[in-house]
Each structure stands twice: as C-alpha cells, then as structure tokens.
C-alpha cells in the first residue's frame, strides 16, 4: 500500500476515487431537517451504510482558514491562512489573503500528484481556487477551476479547455445557489470522465447566509445537492462530506443585525488612530453578510493591550478576549499574522457580530435578517461518509476529512 506523508501526517492511497465535499456554511441542522422532510433520500441511504458524525471547524470559523485546513490536513498555525483579510506584517497595509503566496504548507493535492495521483478540484469562487491549487502542475493529471470563472479556464492554468461545455451550464451568478450546483455537476462529470484519485468540491455559503435550516430556499438547495450525491455514490466513489463552518442567526428580534461596532467603541475610549480593528471575514463578496462576523483581531498603537482588552471585555456579547500569544495558542493561529488582541463574539444567543465603524458597513444588500459565522457557535459541522470508519479518532475536525477517506474506511 502506497503511503504519502504531508505536513507530518500519513495518508494511504485510497481504495477507490476519494471525493471530499466541503459544503460551505452547512451546520448539521440543514441536512437533518431536509432528511426529515424526505428531501435527501440519497443522503439517508449513504448514512445508513456509512457514517453520520459531528466534528469541529478551526477558529475563526471562516471559509479560507477552514478550506486550507481541510486540504493541508492541519490548522492555520501550520498553513498560515488565518482569514480572508489581514494587515500584511511586511508592509503594514491591509490586504486580502487570497494570493497563494500566503500559504505556508503544501496541500494534500500537491503531494499526491507528485506521487502519481490524478487530482480534480472545483470551487465555487475563484479566490479559493487560487489558494487550493497552489503547487499543482497542469500536465494532464490535474484539473482545478471555479464556477465563478468557468468561462475563463485554460489548459495551462486549469487543466481544462472548456469547463462550461463539460458541465452543460453557463457561468452562474456569484450570488446564487447555481454557483454551488455548478460545482456538484462538474464533480459528477469529472468523476466519470477524468477519473481522479482525489477530488475536492467546495461550494459557496450564499444560500446558508440567506436561508435558515428548513426554509424553502434551504430545502431546495439540499434537495439539489442530494441528486448529485446519489450520482457520485453510484459511481463507486468514497465520499466524505464536511463543512468549513456552520451558520447562525446574527440578528435581533426586530430583524436588525446584532452588531458591536468595535472600532467606534475603541475610538471613543482611546481616540482615533490608536487602535485598528481587522475583520478577517472581509472579502469581495460582502452583499450577503456585510463583512460582519463573530471574530476580530485588534492592533494597539500606543494603548496598553491590557487596557484595550478590558474595554472590549465590558461589551455585551463577547465570548473571548485574548492577547495574541494566548489566543493563537488556543485557536492554533499564526502569531505573526494576528493583531495584539483576539476577539470572539456571540453572547448567550450566539447572535453578536463584530463591525468596525458603523458608517463603514453597507448593509443595503441584506434582504433577509443577517446570518453569519466566525465564532465558537459556528464550529460544529457534519462529518458524513458513505462507508463505515475503522479506528477513526473520537474527536473529529473538518481537516481530518482526507485522512478519514484514505486511512479509516472499512472495506465492504
């Protein structure tokens, strides 16, 4: 049996094509409610002969840190991706963290391809495809593209000449359920035609930001997902389903977002320019969440860190206020890419999110009460497989997904 070592973890060559699905924002209740409503019969059959367990995401429970944890098998302290947005330690400038240069560890895909495996990876958004695809060589043994830029693919950059023709769909709107459907449809086509050894399918959480479990919009999405799960399962793949994070209501009874505008609070306490609040949820796609999540990091430019922490700790809805060293140790984060203070919000209802200054958040695109993520209450995620596990760890993290599919599948 061939064994590949990546970032200090060993992976056996899978006994069948391994498909790991990261269903973005999919707290366990989504699938549970859809199954109870009879909308996911294929998933029910998968679970009946496989596994349905719970695991946890990394903190912050955002998309990029968790997807990179899944594909490296390690937490952010190893791979370096601790959010979508940061202050560049080298320049002091605020910047997006979607350039592959920020990734400090090789992916499982890169290591397996070097060992002779065929790799397929499809993401909803292109920002993630760039990071996940780092190290892949498009020599006929790898395909990697996004739904968002499916009409821009090339053999040299993506390993495929026409993704839209492969899938039979045009490029969906970035704010749509179809962006994720394109991912699933591409996965089915690639599994039968390209025959990868490892395949990773990563959706977008547009639906989960917009619709609660059991709502019509959510149920339509999961019924769609179930159709593709049935096809992937019928093709003989080992399937492991996880999520990058969960999703919770982040609004008051009135429907207004439950926001702590932390920069406003700190400016009042210490003066303008004395602190800087960074929201790692920030990315180019803020319509459905307004850049509001339950995790922030704060830089102190003069005030004592302990004084800044004391002010933050007095605010309603704060679950944790930690100095950099303590917070990074607790949440397995890279110290050089975090501020002086790490803040996690939620409160008794789990609904508190953190903003910077009130006037800097455009919430006009929120046509439904805010749902978001980033904190401790969005850590619980499903871990589902279409085959039984053997000798699997009792405590599962979403970044165990490839190890489960490679090392812990019980042969029927």
């Amino acid at each position: 049996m061939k064994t590949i070592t990546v970032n200090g973890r060993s992976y056996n060559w899978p006994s069948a094509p391994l498909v790991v699905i990261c269903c973005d924002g999919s707290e366990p209740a989504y699938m549970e409610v859809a199954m109870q409503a009879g909308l996911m019969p294929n998933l029910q059959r998968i679970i009946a002969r496989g596994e349905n367990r719970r695991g946890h995401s990394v903190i912050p429970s955002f998309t990029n840190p968790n997807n990179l944890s899944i594909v490296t098998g390690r937490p952010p302290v190893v791979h370096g991706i601790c959010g979508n947005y940061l202050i560049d330690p080298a320049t002091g400038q605020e910047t997006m963290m979607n350039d592959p240069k920020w990734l400090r560890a090789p992916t499982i895909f890169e290591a397996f391809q070097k060992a002779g495996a065929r790799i397929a990876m499809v993401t909803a958004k292109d920002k993630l495809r760039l990071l996940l695809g780092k190290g892949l060589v498009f020599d006929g043994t790898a395909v990697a593209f996004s739904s968002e830029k499916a009409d821009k693919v090339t053999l040299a950059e993506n390993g495929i000449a026409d993704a839209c023709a492969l899938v039979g769909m045009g490029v969906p709107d970035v704010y749509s359920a179809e962006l994720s459907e394109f991912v699933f449809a591409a996965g089915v086509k690639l599994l039968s035609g390209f025959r990868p050894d490892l395949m990773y399918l990563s959706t977008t959480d547009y639906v989960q930001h917009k619709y609660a479990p059991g709502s019509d919009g959510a149920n339509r999405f999961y019924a769609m997902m179930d159709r593709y799960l049935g096809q992937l399962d019928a093709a003989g793949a080992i399937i492991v389903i996880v999520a990058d994070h969960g999703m919770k209501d982040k609004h008051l009874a009135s429907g207004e977002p439950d926001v702590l505008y932390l920069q406003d609070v700190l400016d009042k306490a210490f003066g303008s320019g004395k602190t800087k609040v960074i929201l790692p949820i920030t990315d180019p796609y803020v319509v459905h969440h307004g850049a509001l999540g339950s995790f922030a990091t704060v830089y102190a430019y003069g005030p004592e860190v302990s004084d800044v922490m004391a002010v933050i700790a007095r605010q309603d809805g704060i679950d944790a206020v930690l100095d950099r060293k303590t917070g990074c140790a607790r949440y397995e984060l890279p110290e050089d890419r975090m501020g002086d203070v790490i803040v996690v919000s939620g409160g008794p209802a789990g609904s508190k999110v953190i903003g910077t200054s009130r006037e800097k958040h455009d919430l006009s695109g929120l046509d439904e009460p805010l749902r978001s993520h980033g904190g401790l209450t969005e850590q619980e995620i499903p871990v589902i497989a279409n085959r039984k596990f053997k000798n699997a760890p009792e405590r599962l993290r979403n970044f165990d997904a490839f190890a489960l599919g490679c090392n812990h599948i019980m042969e029927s």
Side-chain angles (χ1 to χ4, degrees), residues 77-146:
V77 68
V78 175
H79 60 71
I81 305 299
C82 51
N84 304 332
Y85 191 75
L86 84 163
I87 291 181
D88 185 341
T91 66
Q93 300 299 307
E94 297 177 48
T95 186
M96 296 297 299
M97 198 187 278
N98 54 7
D99 191 304
K101 71 179 184 180
W102 297 106
L103 184 59
R104 288 173 165 165
T107 69
I108 294 165
F109 310 141
E110 179 185 357
F112 265 82
Q113 187 189 31
K114 287 178 177 176
R118 295 171 68 81
I119 307 296
M121 180 262 289
V122 188
T123 65
K125 295 176 181 175
D126 207 57
K127 63 165 188 174
L128 197 55
R129 190 271 308 174
L130 287 168
L131 283 164
L132 300 179
K134 183 179 181 182
L136 288 179
V137 178
F138 297 104
D139 59 359
T141 63
V143 173
F145 62 90
S146 69

Side-chain angles (χ1 to χ4, degrees), residues 44-257:
Q44 286 181 294
R45 284 193 289 272
I46 283 170
I47 289 171
R49 69 173 192 279
E51 298 280 350
N52 182 17
R53 294 177 57 177
R54 294 288 178 271
H56 285 86
S57 75
V58 304
I59 292 290
S61 48
F62 293 141
T63 295
N64 283 14
N66 279 281
N67 270 272
L68 271 298
S69 291
I70 293 168
V71 305
T72 61
R74 289 297 188 186
V77 68
V78 175
H79 60 71
I81 305 299
C82 51
N84 304 332
Y85 191 75
L86 84 163
I87 291 181
D88 185 341
T91 66
Q93 300 299 307
E94 297 177 48
T95 186
M96 296 297 299
M97 198 187 278
N98 54 7
D99 191 304
K101 71 179 184 180
W102 297 106
L103 184 59
R104 288 173 165 165
T107 69
I108 294 165
F109 310 141
E110 179 185 357
F112 265 82
Q113 187 189 31
K114 287 178 177 176
R118 295 171 68 81
I119 307 296
M121 180 262 289
V122 188
T123 65
K125 295 176 181 175
D126 207 57
K127 63 165 188 174
L128 197 55
R129 190 271 308 174
L130 287 168
L131 283 164
L132 300 179
K134 183 179 181 182
L136 288 179
V137 178
F138 297 104
D139 59 359
T141 63
V143 173
F145 62 90
S146 69
S147 304
E148 181 187 13
K149 298 289 180 67
D151 59 338
K152 303 291 195 302
V153 299
T154 65
L155 285 170
E157 295 292 327
N158 308 93
I160 186 171
D162 194 338
C164 291
L166 171 78
V167 177
M169 292 174 63
V171 177
D173 188 273
V174 73
Y175 296 112
S176 71
E178 288 73 27
L179 199 73
S180 292
E181 182 171 4
F182 194 105
V183 173
F184 291 125
V188 169
K189 295 291 188 179
L190 288 168
L191 186 61
S192 62
F194 183 69
R195 297 300 293 175
D197 297 290
L198 299 184
M199 183 158 69
Y200 187 61
L201 305 177
S202 182
T203 67
T204 175
D205 57 3
Y206 168 77
V207 166
Q208 290 76 12
H209 273 287
K210 194 175 180 67
Y211 301 111
S215 64
D216 289 344
N219 283 344
R220 284 195 300 272
F221 177 89
Y222 285 93
M224 173 274 292
M225 176 179 172
D226 192 70
R227 293 194 297 272
Y228 292 105
L229 287 178
Q231 295 176 63
L232 293 168
D233 185 47
I238 298 168
I239 300 172
V240 178
I241 305 167
V242 293
D244 50 353
H245 54 77
M247 189 77 67
K248 298 292 184 185
D249 288 337
K250 300 291 183 179
H251 57 83
L252 304 169
S254 64
E256 292 297 308

Side-chain angles (χ1 to χ4, degrees), residues 315-356:
Q315 309 307 308
D316 291 338
I318 298 300
D319 291 340
V321 184
L322 305 166
D323 64 80
R324 179 195 291 123
K325 186 175 184 63
T326 304
C328 288
R330 179 177 297 183
Y331 300 130
E332 301 172 289
L333 297 169
E335 288 191 33
D336 62 323
R337 293 181 175 178
M338 304 302 295
D340 299 296
V341 181
I342 290 171
V343 188
V344 184
S345 68
S351 62
K352 187 69 72 177
V353 287
I354 301 170
T356 54

